[in-house]
């Protein structure tokens, strides 16, 4: 039997904003081994009218098949039917749907602005005294949300009714008193000065003959709220505004368009609603019926029409943010200080929903945090300006349910004060926010701590995929490039993140400077511009390099070359920038160098500011500042990344068939490598500045001469053993650490690091009850000191990629998994492991068990792919798609190794 599943348009299941160039993908499943697709046919329908018929095509392709029919019409629901035949003659058909956006029809509406006080422009630099905790604040500098009310009348029936909507700030849409849509924090975080998404909602069901009302509430959001590390306000503007166009078509096909030009507005009952600080909502002041017909709005003020260009408006791309899950917290604690603190049992990004029955006027304060202090008391772990993470709800009369609408927090604990009576656990729900990405990868094994690590990785990815890939969901919520550079392979294994990352790479390109520099964060918020000016650089090695390393990871995972094409120009401009920096920068002491040394400096990127091997644990654990790790490692790390980026560019150019460019980059790589070796590597294979991370980079980036490889890996292992069997790697080297060790035959050391429970290690976090990945290895120190860090940074979760490939045993052999290798490490101390990943062709799965001297393996290889299966006795079996079972007696040596390992 042949089954067609997972039908995607533009890599989404049923997308709502499709343009003129959709492409179609699907997966096949068969109960016969060795199956592949022999032919397909796609038909596109609008109602009963056939729009395009591809005809039967003899082809094995099932990924991104482009639409070739006549122009699609705006705002139409299309049905697509798919038929496939496999190599055995079995057939299958399935159908799905998609909706088009409004294409490039001209707009009839304008931006409008409620009369409001401007958000005061503030800028906080790093290193200023901390505001929070020092003195009580009154929040008077914050501005209320704005309610906008737009009555309109509907004659009789309408055949279609659409609202297109966007905002400067965040909006929430209601029609006749009912909320429309399930999207959260719209419009998405984009470089608003260049691109703002609008969303389109079908409001037909909500309409009735006679008077109808559209109601919109606006809040500061990413537009004018306080963002990022310094938490400055007004990134793009100091007032919120609305763009709305309503499009009603009657049964005679007459369409009426109107905007919000005649709407009236008033301050909402949220006296402030800030993405970082939190929301303060007075339910007792709620204007009952404000978005319904018959409400008296004569005291409301007419909105002003803004003379704002409309060319930055663009239909929503990809998935929006949603509440992905709600769950009940696990405990209501009474802390030693006598406070009431709710424990979710899980660190999340999102918010709390409360339900209660009360009289009006109780002021409930909810403060969010990720850890408790050493003494078990509530502790706000995020320092800085505007990091309050504090929601305030003032009750109205009667039963009520409330959740904030325009903020989100990174938290596990909530301190609750002002609750009327005694709160009960079932009065709370945790709401998990994330961009709605489908899950694509799973992992489980016989070691509970490793399972918890996987769980933590997954939760950190969910929390840091809110609109853009972020560093953390509390302190910065910023699109730092270095973090996703490290984490992308893991993210792409765990979720269908390729389109999410593709969209964000578009922002990276938009923010690229004219000289090719790629700023370290995208969108590039103003508040960071000022901080970077203080650092002396807007970029860094490893961060800017994300412009090529992230597309390269996407290509590895999907096999889709278009991601390389789309970004190629930006990559080249970045590489020219780096080359110029390397060539013109003269390191300290240049004048004292001999002529050979002088000559090679132009191939080294050893000047300027870099984050280096950021947060290297040995420096952090002795109380050093993050900047110290940067200063200590940057020359070597930046030069190594220059080499790596150049080599990767050669591979990218080759994948795109750009032979000349590929050979140029390769030539340049060879020169950089020579310079690097002469500058940093001693004849005995040691480095002039010894850091574990530096060794890792040299080995993984191919910077060490073959003759010194062995010696260098010994130096790395020596350093690990001198470090009490612990790693000492920061952001830029950690992604390669375990691969380097397996690659040089020291899987034992890789496993030692993975199963290590002393600090710094992954399982040390687990042992300390982490439920997400920490920013710094020693967020909680061995002596119990609780650090003021983020407890939800996915960067160190990049080890997931190694775990799934090596312990799960599933690895792509070519970009996009058309060929894969199944080779679980049998001597890894586990009794069993299983992993599954939805490849572009369908789900591949591996499950292995060892029972004393027996070893068993079950695999599923998707239709249309082949796998090389490596068995413990060293044999390799090549298999086409299907389901297979293998059993072997284990060679005694590996049993010996296992028991040795377990004893160790
Ligand atoms: C962020 C990081 C980021 C870094 C730059 C931090 O404040 O949280 O994850 O990459 O700055 O080094």
């Amino acid at each position: 039997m042949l089954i067609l599943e997972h039908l995607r348009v533009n890599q989404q299941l049923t997308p709502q904003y499709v343009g003129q160039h959709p492409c179609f993908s699907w997966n096949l499943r068969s109960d016969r081994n060795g199956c592949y697709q022999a032919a397909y046919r796609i038909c596109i329908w609008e109602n009963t009218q056939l729009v395009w018929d591809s005809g039967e095509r003899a082809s094995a392709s099932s990924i991104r098949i482009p639409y070739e029919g006549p122009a699609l019409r705006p705002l139409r629901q299309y049905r697509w039917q798919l038929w496939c035949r496999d190599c055995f003659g079995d057939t299958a058909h399935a159908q799905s749907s998609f909706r088009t956006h409004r294409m490039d029809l001209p707009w009839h509406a304008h931006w409008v602005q409620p009369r409001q006080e401007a958000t005061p422009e503030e800028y906080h630099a790093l290193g200023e005294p901390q505001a929070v905790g020092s003195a009580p604040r009154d929040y008077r500098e914050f501005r209320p949300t704005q309610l906008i009310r737009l009555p309109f009348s509907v004659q009789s029936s309408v055949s279609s009714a659409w609202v297109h909507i966007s905002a400067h700030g965040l909006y929430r849409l209601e029609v006749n008193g009912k909320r429309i849509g399930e999207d959260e924090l719209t419009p998405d975080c984009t470089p608003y000065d260049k691109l703002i998404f609008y969303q389109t909602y079908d409001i037909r069901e909500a309409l009735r003959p006679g008077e109808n009302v559209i109601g919109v509430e606006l809040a500061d959001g990413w537009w004018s709220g306080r963002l990022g590390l310094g938490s400055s306000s007004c990134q793009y503007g100091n007032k919120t505004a609305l763009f709305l166009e309503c499009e009603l078509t009657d049964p005679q096909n007459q369409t009426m368009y109107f905007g919000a030009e005649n709407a009236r507005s008033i301050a909402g009952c949220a006296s402030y609603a800030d993405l970082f600080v939190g929301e303060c909502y007075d339910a007792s002041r709620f204007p009952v019926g404000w978005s319904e017909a018959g409400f008296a709005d004569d005291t409301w003020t007419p909105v002003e029409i803004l003379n704002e260009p409309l060319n930055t408006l663009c239909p929503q791309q990809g998935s929006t943010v949603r509440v992905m899950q709600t769950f009940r917290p696990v405990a209501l604690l009474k802390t030693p200080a006598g406070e009431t603190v709710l424990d979710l049992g899980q660190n999340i990004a999102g918010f709390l929903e409360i339900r209660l029955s009360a009289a009006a006027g109780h002021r409930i304060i909810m403060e969010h945090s990720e850890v408790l202090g050493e003494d078990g008391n509530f502790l706000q772990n995020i320092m800085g300006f505007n990091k309050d993470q504090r929601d305030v709800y003032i009750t109205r009369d009667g039963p009520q349910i409330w959740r904030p609408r325009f903020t989100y927090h990174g938290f596990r604990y909530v301190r609750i004060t002002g609750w009327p009576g005694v709160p009960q656990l079932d009065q709370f729900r945790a709401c998990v926010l994330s961009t709605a990405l489908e899950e694509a990868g799973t992992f489980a094994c016989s070691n509970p701590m490793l399972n918890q690590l996987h769980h933590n990785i997954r939760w950190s990815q969910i929390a840091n995929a809110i609109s853009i890939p972020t560093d953390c969901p509390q302190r910065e919520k910023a699109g730092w490039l270095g973090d996703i550079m490290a984490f992308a392979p893991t993210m792409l294994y765990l979720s269908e993140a390729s389109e999410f990352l593709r969209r964000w790479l578009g922002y990276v390109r938009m923010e690229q400077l004219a000289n090719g520099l790629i700023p370290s964060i995208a969108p590039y918020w103003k508040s960071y511009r000022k901080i970077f000016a203080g650092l002396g650089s807007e970029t860094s090695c490893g961060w800017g390099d994300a412009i090529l390393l992230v597309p390269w990871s996407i290509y590895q995972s999907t096999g889709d070359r278009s991601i390389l094409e789309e970004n190629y120009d930006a990559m080249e401009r970045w590489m020219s920038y780096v080359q110029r920096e390397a060539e013109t920068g003269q390191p300290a002491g240049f004048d004292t160098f001999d002529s050979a040394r002088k000559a090679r400096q132009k191939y080294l990127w050893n000047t300027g500011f870099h984050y280096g091997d950021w947060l290297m644990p040995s420096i952090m654990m002795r109380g050093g500042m993050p900047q110290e790790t940067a200063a200590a490692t940057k020359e070597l790390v930046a030069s190594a990344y220059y080499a790596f980026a150049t080599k990767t560019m050669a591979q990218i150019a080759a994948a795109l068939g750009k032979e000349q460019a590929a050979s140029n980059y390769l030539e340049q790589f060879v020169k950089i490598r020579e310079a690097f070796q002469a500058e940093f590597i001693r004849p005995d294979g040691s480095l002039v500045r010894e850091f574990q991370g530096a060794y890792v980079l040299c080995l993984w980036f191919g910077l060490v001469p073959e003759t010194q490889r062995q010696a260098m890996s010994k130096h790395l292992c020596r350093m690990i053993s001198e470090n009490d069997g612990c790693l000492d790697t920061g952001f830029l080297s950690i992604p390669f650490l375990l691969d380097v060790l397996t690659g040089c035959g020291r899987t034992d050391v890789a496993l030692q690091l993975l199963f290590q429970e002393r600090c710094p290690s992954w399982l040390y976090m687990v042992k300390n009850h982490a439920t997400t990945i920490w920013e710094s290895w020693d967020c909680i120190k061995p002596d119990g000191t609780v650090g003021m860090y983020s407890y939800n940074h996915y960067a160190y979760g990049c080890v997931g990629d190694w775990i799934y490939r090596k312990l799960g045993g599933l690895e792509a052999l070519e970009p996009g998994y058309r060929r894969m290798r199944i080779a679980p490490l049998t001597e890894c101390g586990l009794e069993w492991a299983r992993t599954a990943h939805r490849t572009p062709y369908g789900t591949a799965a591996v499950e292995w068990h060892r029972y004393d001297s027996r070893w068993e393996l079950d695999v599923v290889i998707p239709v249309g792919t082949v796998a090389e299966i490596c068995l413990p006795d060293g044999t390799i079996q090549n298999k086409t798609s299907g389901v297979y079972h293998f059993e072997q007696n284990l060679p005694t040596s590996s049993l010996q190794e296992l028991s040795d390992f377990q004893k160790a």
Side-chain angles (χ1 to χ4, degrees):
M1 196 174 59
L2 187 66
I3 296 170
L4 258 172
E5 59 190 11
H6 209 55
L7 273 61
R8 279 109 63 206
V9 179
N10 300 347
Q11 298 308 109
Q12 284 186 280
L13 290 180
T14 48
Q16 302 296 298
Y17 300 92
V18 171
Q20 281 303 358
H21 305 287
C23 58
F24 303 93
S25 310
W26 57 88
N27 297 153
L28 281 166
R29 205 146 47 88
S30 163
D31 54 2
R32 304 205 215 198
N33 286 2
C35 179
Y36 59 89
Q37 177 183 293
Y40 72 84
R41 179 178 175 187
I42 301 172
C43 291
I44 312 285
W45 299 82
E46 186 190 336
N47 298 322
T48 53
Q49 200 190 336
L50 180 64
V51 177
W52 180 56
D53 181 349
S54 71
E56 182 175 329
R57 294 176 173 181
S59 166
S61 306
S62 58
I63 300 169
R64 290 184 159 264
I65 308 298
Y67 172 73
E68 288 162 10
L72 297 170
R73 299 206 294 159
L75 295 172
R76 291 296 189 289
Q77 186 80 14
Y78 289 94
R79 193 159 51 88
W80 68 291
Q81 279 184 321
L82 176 65
W83 169 93
C84 287
R85 192 182 62 238
D86 68 14
C87 55
F88 304 111
D90 286 345
T91 59
H93 50 86
Q95 59 175 340
S96 186
S97 66
F98 64 92
R99 196 177 79 193
T100 50
H101 58 65
R102 59 186 294 289
M103 308 291 179
D104 43 12
L105 296 177
W107 291 111
H108 303 79
H110 300 88
W111 281 94
V112 300
Q113 190 157 64
R115 274 229 203 112
Q116 64 196 288
E117 263 181 76
T119 295
E121 188 153 352
E122 2 162 22
Y123 165 67
H124 300 291
L126 282 178
E128 283 183 40
Q130 310 297 340
V132 171
S134 44
R137 59 193 296 184
D138 58 16
Y139 297 91
R140 262 191 306 211
E141 74 272 30
F142 291 88
R143 298 287 158 261
T145 57
Q146 296 292 326
L147 299 179
I148 299 176
R149 183 170 193 281
L150 176 67
F152 61 100
S153 65
V154 170
Q155 295 306 333
S156 48
S157 62
V158 289
S159 60
S160 74
W162 302 101
V163 165
H164 312 289
I165 179 168
S166 189
H168 290 170
L170 300 174
Y171 74 82
R172 215 175 130 89
L173 172 66
E174 296 182 7
V175 174
N176 296 331
K178 282 209 190 65
R179 178 169 185 215
I180 302 292
E182 288 170 12
D183 302 326
E184 301 285 341
L185 305 179
T186 42
D188 266 295
C189 169
T190 56
Y192 285 147
D193 49 338
K194 305 172 186 92
L195 170 80
I196 302 190
F197 293 146
Y198 67 83
Q199 289 72 44
T200 294
Y201 298 104
D202 182 349
I203 59 163
R204 202 166 66 118
E205 299 275 287
L207 299 184
R208 58 175 85 102
E211 200 195 6
N212 289 264
V213 178
I214 291 176
V216 179
E217 185 166 7
L218 295 179
D220 288 346
W222 288 286
W223 180 267
S224 39
R226 288 122 177 107
L227 303 193
L229 187 55
S231 204
S232 321
S233 60
C234 304
Q235 301 298 312
Y236 299 95
N238 60 8
K239 287 182 179 175
T240 53
L242 167 70
F243 179 81
L244 179 144
E245 180 165 304
C246 184
E247 172 173 346
L248 303 180
T249 304
D250 66 18
Q252 289 73 46
N253 233 359
Q254 294 298 308
T255 302
M256 174 173 86
Y257 302 91
F258 59 90
E261 293 79 2
N262 295 322
R264 298 169 86 83
S265 74
I266 200 166
C269 56
S271 57
Y272 60 85
D274 184 272
L275 212 45
F276 279 63
V277 172
E279 192 161 327
C280 177
Y281 186 92
D282 186 348
S284 67
R285 284 183 35 229
F286 179 76
V288 178
W290 72 279
S291 62
E292 292 173 62
F295 179 86
D297 62 8
D298 24 299
T299 56
W300 293 37
T301 317
V303 297
E304 289 167 4
I305 296 178
L306 269 192
N307 211 355
E308 183 80 13
L310 303 177
N311 55 6
T312 49
L313 283 168
C314 163
Q316 173 72 36
Q317 285 170 19
S319 306
T320 48
V321 175
R322 296 274 174 105
V323 173
M324 299 298 286
Q325 185 185 339
T326 59
F327 64 89
R328 283 163 195 255
V330 297
L332 255 175
L333 312 173
K334 208 31 132 195
T335 63
E339 296 173 332
T340 302
V341 173
L342 191 66
D343 178 5
L344 305 192
Q346 173 63 48
N347 198 21
I348 67 163
F351 42 74
L352 191 66
E353 183 180 275
I354 56 173
R355 34 189 85 193
L356 72 160
S357 198
H362 291 277
R363 190 181 168 83
I364 301 171
I365 299 177
M366 290 156 276
E367 292 159 287
H368 302 72
S369 155
E370 298 186 297
V371 275
L372 295 179
E374 292 103 276
D375 51 7
N377 283 321
F378 182 82
L379 172 83
Q380 199 193 38
N381 65 299
I382 299 296
M383 296 191 304
F385 280 100
N386 296 321
K387 311 294 183 204
D388 310 31
Q389 298 217 99
R390 172 182 181 271
D391 295 329
V392 180
Y393 176 71
I394 299 162
T395 55
R396 58 178 167 77
D397 261 326
Q400 49 210 296
I401 298 180
W402 183 77
R403 38 152 289 197
R405 294 88 29 85
F406 300 113
T407 191
Y408 77 93
H409 310 299
F411 70 108
R412 168 174 171 170
Y413 298 96
V414 190
R415 173 163 65 187
I416 299 187
T417 38
W419 192 269
V422 181
Q424 304 297 322
L425 201 52
D426 67 357
Q427 292 180 292
F428 303 95
R429 294 285 181 282
C431 302
V432 179
L433 273 192
S434 193
T435 301
L437 305 178
E438 279 170 75
E439 187 164 64
T442 56
F443 174 82
C445 70
S446 55
N447 181 318
M449 287 181 84
L450 216 53
N451 290 339
Q452 182 68 36
L453 172 62
H454 163 69
H455 167 103
N456 296 359
I457 294 170
R458 198 176 150 260
W459 277 88
S460 277
Q461 110 128 54
I462 292 171
N464 283 300
I466 295 188
S467 202
I468 53 170
T470 60
D471 59 335
C472 54
Q474 3 61 8
R475 187 184 64 220
E476 301 186 43
K477 308 183 190 194
W480 281 100
L481 273 66
D483 305 51
I484 189 61
M485 185 283 292
F487 190 66
T490 303
M491 184 183 238
L492 288 157
Y493 190 90
L494 291 179
S495 64
E496 299 259 352
S498 61
E499 295 308 297
F500 172 71
L501 294 177
R502 181 196 294 270
R503 175 177 82 180
W504 171 78
L505 282 163
Y507 315 155
V508 177
R509 295 197 302 275
M510 286 176 194
E511 303 288 31
Q512 185 169 29
L513 306 191
N515 64 359
L517 181 150
I518 299 276
S520 295
I521 69 159
Y524 190 11
W525 295 332
K526 223 167 58 180
S527 62
Y528 282 95
R529 286 171 206 240
K530 294 190 181 163
I531 291 173
F532 292 166
L535 293 177
S537 175
E538 301 177 270
T539 192
S540 161
C541 74
W543 272 254
D545 292 319
I547 186 60
L548 55 115
L549 297 176
V550 174
W552 187 243
S553 296
I554 297 174
Y555 173 60
Q556 296 307 317
S557 152
T558 61
D560 176 8
R561 277 190 191 80
S562 71
I563 190 72
L564 302 178
E565 262 151 36
E566 252 166 58
N567 291 288
Y568 190 75
D569 186 48
M571 298 173 188
E572 285 216 297
R573 291 176 49 225
W574 162 250
M575 289 312 296
S576 322
Y577 166 81
V578 175
Q579 190 174 339
R580 272 197 314 277
E581 288 293 298
E583 282 173 7
T584 53
Q586 290 191 350
F590 183 83
D591 291 338
T592 64
F593 295 174
D594 64 29
S595 57
R597 189 164 182 206
K598 271 187 181 149
R600 69 174 177 253
Q601 294 308 308
K602 66 173 176 183
Y603 296 114
L604 301 171
W605 195 13
N606 51 3
T607 51
F609 172 83
H610 293 279
Y611 297 110
D613 204 10
W614 185 244
L615 300 188
M616 201 173 85
S618 54
I619 296 185
M620 301 301 293
M621 284 168 66
R622 65 163 161 71
M625 294 299 286
Q627 288 78 351
E628 266 182 70
T629 64
T633 58
K634 65 178 187 175
E635 282 90 5
L636 194 151
V637 168
S639 298
Y641 262 81
Y642 178 27
F644 180 49
T646 308
K647 191 162 82 171
T648 308
M649 278 305 283
Q651 291 170 292
I652 292 172
L656 292 176
K658 299 176 191 288
E659 310 287 322
Q660 188 56 49
S663 93
N664 294 348
Y665 280 116
L666 213 51
E667 220 172 276
Q668 177 76 355
F669 168 71
V670 171
K671 289 180 190 150
I672 301 170
R673 184 175 58 189
E674 266 170 32
F676 186 94
Q677 291 172 350
E679 189 81 5
F680 298 114
I681 305 180
R682 296 200 193 98
D684 70 347
S686 66
L687 287 168
V688 293
R689 308 207 57 185
E690 287 209 294
F691 298 110
Q692 285 188 24
Y695 280 119
V696 168
L697 299 183
C698 291
L699 287 159
W700 189 248
F701 296 170
L703 297 175
V704 51
E706 233 6 81
T707 50
Q708 288 174 338
R709 229 187 127 70
Q710 185 95 38
M712 188 174 274
S713 36
K714 282 199 177 132
H715 286 298
L716 171 61
C717 295
R718 168 184 52 80
M719 289 196 76
I720 293 171
S721 105
E722 284 169 6
N723 197 37
D724 205 14
C726 287
L727 55 77
D728 189 17
T729 41
F731 270 38
L732 290 192
S733 58
I734 190 80
F736 319 111
L737 172 63
L738 299 192
D739 272 313
V740 160
L741 291 165
T742 21
C744 61
R746 295 308 305 268
T747 301
D748 58 329
V749 182
L751 291 167
Q752 181 189 6
L753 293 178
L754 182 69
F755 288 105
Q756 179 60 269
E757 295 178 22
R758 281 188 300 273
C759 187
S761 70
W762 289 281
L763 296 192
Y764 172 78
M765 298 185 200
V766 170
K767 218 171 74 181
N768 280 276
H769 313 294
T771 59
T772 41
I773 302 290
W774 297 346
E775 170 178 30
S776 185
W777 298 101
D778 63 338
C779 274
I780 297 177
K781 291 199 189 299
D783 69 4
T785 315
V786 177
M788 307 299 267
Y789 291 102
S790 152
Y791 287 74
N792 206 348
H793 254 64
Y794 52 40
Y796 292 146
C798 61
V799 70
D801 172 53
W802 188 89
I803 294 175
Y804 313 139
R805 279 188 288 116
K806 299 297 181 190
L807 305 187
L810 176 63
E811 179 161 23
L813 266 186
E814 72 178 44
Y817 292 85
R818 187 148 211 145
R819 291 193 313 123
M820 59 195 95
R821 176 186 289 135
I822 293 173
L825 277 174
T826 39
E827 295 90 27
C828 64
L830 297 176
E831 281 143 36
W832 62 268
R834 68 166 166 264
T835 190
H837 172 65
R838 190 159 51 226
T839 75
Y841 301 91
T843 300
V846 182
E847 175 160 357
W848 62 267
H849 285 259
R850 54 186 308 158
Y851 310 96
D852 298 328
S853 61
R854 197 103 193 107
W855 188 80
E856 292 189 12
L857 171 70
D858 289 283
V859 302
V860 179
I861 307 167
V863 167
T865 68
V866 293
E868 166 183 309
I869 295 162
C870 307
L871 300 170
D873 66 359
T875 55
I876 295 180
Q877 297 209 18
N878 289 307
K879 293 287 179 198
T880 49
S881 77
V883 178
Y884 299 93
H885 177 80
F886 303 88
E887 286 190 31
Q888 283 198 343
N889 286 323
L890 287 171
T892 33
S893 70
S894 72
L895 279 178
Q896 191 53 48
E897 277 172 49
L898 173 70
S899 72
D900 288 351
F901 178 75
Q902 280 169 340
K903 270 183 230 140

